[in-house]
Amino acid sequence: MNTCKIYPHRFLILFSTLILFSLNLSSQVKSPLLSGKEKDALFRNQTQMLETSPYKNDKWQFIGPTNISGRCTDVEAVSPRGKNYTIWVGSAVGGLWKSTNEGTTFQPVFEGMPTASIGDIAIDPVNPDVVWAGTGEANILRSSNAGCGVFKTTDGGKSWSLMGLENTFTIGRIRINPQNTNIVYVAATGHEWTPNEDRGLFKTTDGGKSWTKILYINSNTGVYDLVLDPKDPDVIYCTTWERMRQKWSDPRTYETTTNDGIWKSTDGGKTWKKINEGLPDANKRGRIGIDIAQSNPKVLYAYVDNYEVAVKANPGELDAYGREKSTGIIKGATVYRTDDAGTTWKQVSGLTPDQKKFMQKHSGTYGWVFGQIRVDPQDENTVYTMGLSLNQSTDGGKTFKSLEGPHSDHHGLWIDPANSNYLLDVDDGGLAMSYDKGITWKLPIDVLPLGQFFNLAYDMSVPFRVFGSVQDYGSYYGTVDLGKGRDKISPVEFKSTLGGEGSSHAVNPVDNNTIYASGFYGKLRRATISTFPQNIKDLLPKMMPGEAPLRGQWVAPTLISPHNPDIIYHGMQYVMKSIDRGDTWEFISPDLSYNNPKKRGDISYQTISALDESPLRSGLLYAGTDDGRIWRTKDGGKTWGEIRNGPVPVKFVSRIVASKYDIGTVYMTQTGKRDDDFQVYIWKSTDFGDTWQDISGNIPIGGVNVIREDPANKDILYAGTDGGVFVTKDGGKKWEVLGNLPFSYVLDLAIHPRDNMIIISTHGRGIWVMDANPVNEKDKIKKPDDDDADVQ
């Protein structure tokens, strides 16, 4: 049984530090970067930097996984008329992909854009070389990223033009008028974290040269779904949802809202009316998906995230993530149907006890994530809903069955209008294809390389292995084999290992077989890699009655002390230390967050997000939190002082790195993602954090997720951003783009100290490596035994 000792007398914070902190709250030298237009312009600067970078030809090598894909948001195809289907797949954070051979192979066709997050795509019904891409995933998960407007290609993806709407950030749907394809409608769901005016329904009549907002409610209400009547495209239906994602909770419907529901226009969007007769009350309606029967346009289906309580929660009852349920289980996914073009709606799903259970199990209460429904274009009674499973009804929504085969968590479905047996499904595992209406499925021969990694660790095996946690998969590792040459590394399949889909990993550098990783929200465990999944040990201590429950970040930091591999540090709201490999623990800090009771919800927040120990001095520790606090202890946790001061803003601390070259030097990065802020925050201190210097230099755009020192040269630093990798050789005065990497959200970076390979984990494009020798010239550094004997 784990034990834990708490020493309240250690929790001393100097009064002078608090005074210094309060005086410097407003002393910020950088303003947040909140504009999508400015983001696009600054990314163009990054593109120009690559063209002049001395490292522009340095080669990034994809190492995998070859057996894992990632979340995709939309799929569209062109009916072939005797030829191979052309398939377009939009990914959540991996760009846009195209296949001209019916899914046998895919090529990326959205490289070099200022975002890799795709919300929706639409193919021109007259000219299939014209494709629209709305950027910014509308599912607003914790791993979602903002877009930068609507793009258009007229040459099948060879080139793209930005058509505006840069400040929408997320796009739910694009529809094209089939009778006049210069008329396009865009449903803008808006910012994920903050209010903004660029929400609502936009229309262009000149192919995107200009836009008019034709439906707007307020700065918190977006338009999520949209359909046109196939017989009269001036008849438009759309859905609205008033919501905001908080840092401490999933997005929820406002209890006082009257703005959530379904709208109809019969004049191309000039005038609108609400059509909600028969639906739940507005404050019980969350995200709504909608589709129209092409064979009978009077029939529409609405997939409503229903907030009416179905089952009250028992005291202490937990959800799938281990979080306590507040009110109970909501009805969640509920299907409604209209047979009179929206005049009245009737609930058709979940009308029997068995079907109620089915909808809860397979569609779930995460309608804010999915919210998608499709109607068979040839049969008004065949309906598909997307959720945890892909579900099919052939009796107008009365009964549903789950279609087995594809990965879980479904976000898009295309049904061939000429052959409705042919289905293309996109989910958290990529793309799946069915030729028999969902009875059987096949995957692309080459798995789309869209692995969404949160973190990175390595070991000292020969060849060395890399470890990371992957969105909706769990944790995996792969081998980096340099045997064929440092520039001839082959991508490999990855194997499952300890950890959840959001974890940090630490591998014992002595035995290379003991691994530490967390399940959800920092629930730390230990295992042996070679025998996994046997012999897993839970490590978190039990809390005493009356003590606050432990809170951990989605990727809670865990590290092995560089001074003793038996010493483990783990960050929750407290810094925890074990001297016996995690068997027993001591809390060596107070709650380092602001611990604001008003900011507690169903998402673990006010936690430690970054933690490091100096390689030069045992017990010199730094910690940063997700709510923007920064701390230091010089005596192993006996006393802590807050060191956020001067120009440092209150932002999510994404990384702290204590220097291996100088005992007083420490580096820190922050990300403004959860404030819809793209500013670049990189800091350096040479006095243990007492003062900070901005070393972001000429990096044009953030956020910044990680900084690392070079293992061979103290003046070389590496930074991973939501867009690529940068390197500086002068301590941060001037940065260069490192290598011609596809646009990637680089969440972690390391340099293998023995093999001198740079490793990055990306959220959306898997794991990559690069030979560091051309950068730090470590291969040219003379070793002591290299000296010639005859040198005088």
Side-chain angles (χ1 to χ4, degrees), residues 456-460 464-467 507 512 750-753 759:
L456 175 70
Y458 60 80
D459 69 4
M460 300 301 291
F464 73 87
R465 298 175 294 188
V466 293
F467 301 77
V507 182
N512 295 306
I751 305 93
H752 197 278
I759 320 159

Side-chain angles (χ1 to χ4, degrees), residues 11 54 116 131 209 258 685 750:
F11 301 161
V131 179
K209 295 177 182 177
T258 59
S685 174

Side-chain angles (χ1 to χ4, degrees), residues 725-757:
V725 181
F726 293 82
V727 62
T728 175
K729 282 194 167 184
D730 55 14
K733 296 177 183 177
K734 181 181 179 183
W735 295 84
E736 304 283 0
V737 179
L738 182 58
N740 195 5
L741 183 73
F743 184 104
S744 299
Y745 302 93
V746 181
L747 297 197
D748 209 350
L749 182 152
I751 305 93
H752 197 278
R754 181 193 66 217
D755 293 344
N756 203 33
M757 297 295 294

Side-chain angles (χ1 to χ4, degrees), residues 9 62 126 304 542 622 674:
H9 66 275
F62 175 69
V126 175
V304 180
K542 302 294 183 182
Y622 298 90
R674 293 155 187 83

Side-chain angles (χ1 to χ4, degrees), residues 34-37 149 164-171 186-191 194-202 211-213 215-223 243:
L34 307 175
S35 164
K37 286 187 177 180
L165 305 183
E166 296 95 333
N167 293 323
T168 55
F169 284 19
T170 61
I171 300 295
V186 173
T189 58
H191 291 189
T194 56
N196 74 302
E197 298 297 320
D198 289 291
R199 299 176 192 259
L201 185 60
F202 292 84
W211 295 91
T212 302
K213 191 189 299 183
L215 180 62
Y216 175 73
I217 309 299
N218 60 36
S219 60
N220 290 340
T221 304
V223 174
R243 62 90 186 131

Side-chain angles (χ1 to χ4, degrees), residues 255-287:
E255 294 182 358
T256 58
T257 187
T258 59
N259 297 318
D260 297 352
I262 305 175
W263 300 72
K264 180 178 180 179
S265 173
T266 58
D267 53 13
K270 295 177 183 177
T271 60
W272 294 89
K273 66 177 180 179
K274 296 180 180 180
I275 53 167
N276 298 311
E277 182 67 32
L279 299 180
D281 292 340
N283 66 349
K284 301 298 182 184
R285 299 192 289 259
R287 179 175 177 175

